[in-house]
Amino acid sequence: ILALGTSLAAPLLPLVGIESGGFHLFGATSKGKTTLLSIAASVTGVKKIPHWRATSNGIEGIAAAFNHLCLLLDEIAQADSRDVGNIIYMIGNGQGKTRMSRDLTSRKTKEWLLIILSSGEVEIANYMKQANIIQKGGQEVRLVDIPALPKGAKYGCFETIHGADNAVQFVSALEADTREHHGTALDAFLFQLVIDVTDPTFA
């Protein structure tokens, strides 16, 4: 529900006036975190989920490309722990660095408005601590840590497997569904959204 909700909520940010931010799913490996990101990606039709393994400049370009969408970032352990805090601030603030062109005029700054859905094995504060950096409150509220495994979880990231024989079978069914319906949900959602916002009674 969270994975689907983040993808469907991102295009609504300009309508409700909320700044960029998001969620970091943390927990043990092979419990379904990447599957959750794949589900979110299936909403928008993203073919390849971006990883944290990029420079801040690289993620700046990715964020601009995901404007008004859900930005997925898998495996925070692939990022430099010294850069994570600054990247969180940059994405949350919704704009990249100001740069000068060759004629010494300012280039147009990249901007975006999006929701982040991140994954990793540890909380952000603990990962930053590896570089002897203390997480700041502004970083904490921009990218909120959420345990990927429910309390007392029997099926990894999933609280229920909806009649499947086991978690592996349930995940396989989810992956098959996301492949079959990849990219269809957002088109239908935006089509209805345009109808709703042009309705004079829309509040």
Side-chain angles (χ1 to χ4, degrees):
I1 293 172
L2 177 65
L4 291 171
T6 51
S7 275
L8 293 173
L12 302 177
L13 294 182
L15 297 178
V16 296
I18 296 177
E19 296 180 349
S20 297
F23 311 100
H24 173 67
L25 301 171
F26 70 91
T29 187
S30 301
K31 296 297 182 180
K33 298 188 302 297
T34 300
T35 297
L36 296 182
L37 266 62
S38 296
I39 292 169
S42 75
V43 173
T44 55
V46 174
K47 294 182 178 179
K48 188 174 182 180
I49 297 174
H51 284 73
W52 275 93
R53 187 181 57 207
T55 64
S56 58
N57 289 342
I59 290 184
E60 178 182 325
I62 295 171
F66 277 78
N67 184 37
H68 294 174
L69 296 174
C70 177
L71 170 59
L72 307 166
L73 291 175
D74 199 14
E75 296 296 348
I76 198 170
Q78 294 188 6
D80 189 326
S81 55
R82 296 169 297 180
D83 294 338
V84 167
N86 290 332
I87 290 171
I88 293 171
Y89 269 136
M90 179 186 70
I91 296 176
N93 291 339
Q95 63 179 21
K97 297 178 182 178
T98 301
R99 296 178 173 86
M100 302 295 289
S101 62
R102 290 182 179 180
D103 61 0
L104 301 182
T105 58
S106 296
R107 294 181 182 177
K108 184 177 180 180
T109 302
K110 294 178 180 176
E111 297 181 348
W112 53 81
L113 188 62
L114 51 78
I115 296 180
I116 315 162
L117 188 60
S118 164
S119 75
E121 294 183 28
V122 298
E123 303 98 317
I124 293 171
N126 286 343
Y127 191 63
M128 293 174 61
K129 195 178 293 183
Q130 296 178 15
N132 295 317
I133 298 174
I134 298 174
Q135 183 186 36
K136 296 180 174 63
Q139 296 159 342
E140 187 175 3
V141 298
R142 283 170 172 80
L143 192 57
V144 179
D145 283 320
I146 296 182
L149 276 65
K151 189 175 181 180
K154 298 178 181 179
Y155 310 112
C157 292
F158 308 101
E159 292 177 285
T160 176
I161 55 175
H162 300 282
D165 292 339
N166 51 58
V168 173
Q169 184 186 79
F170 179 60
V171 168
S172 296
L174 283 175
E175 291 175 346
D177 286 342
T178 56
R179 287 193 297 269
E180 181 180 354
H181 304 290
H182 198 76
T184 60
L186 188 65
D187 285 347
F189 181 74
L190 293 179
F191 180 82
Q192 185 61 48
L193 180 63
V194 171
I195 294 174
D196 289 343
V197 297
T198 55
D199 187 327
T201 63
F202 180 81

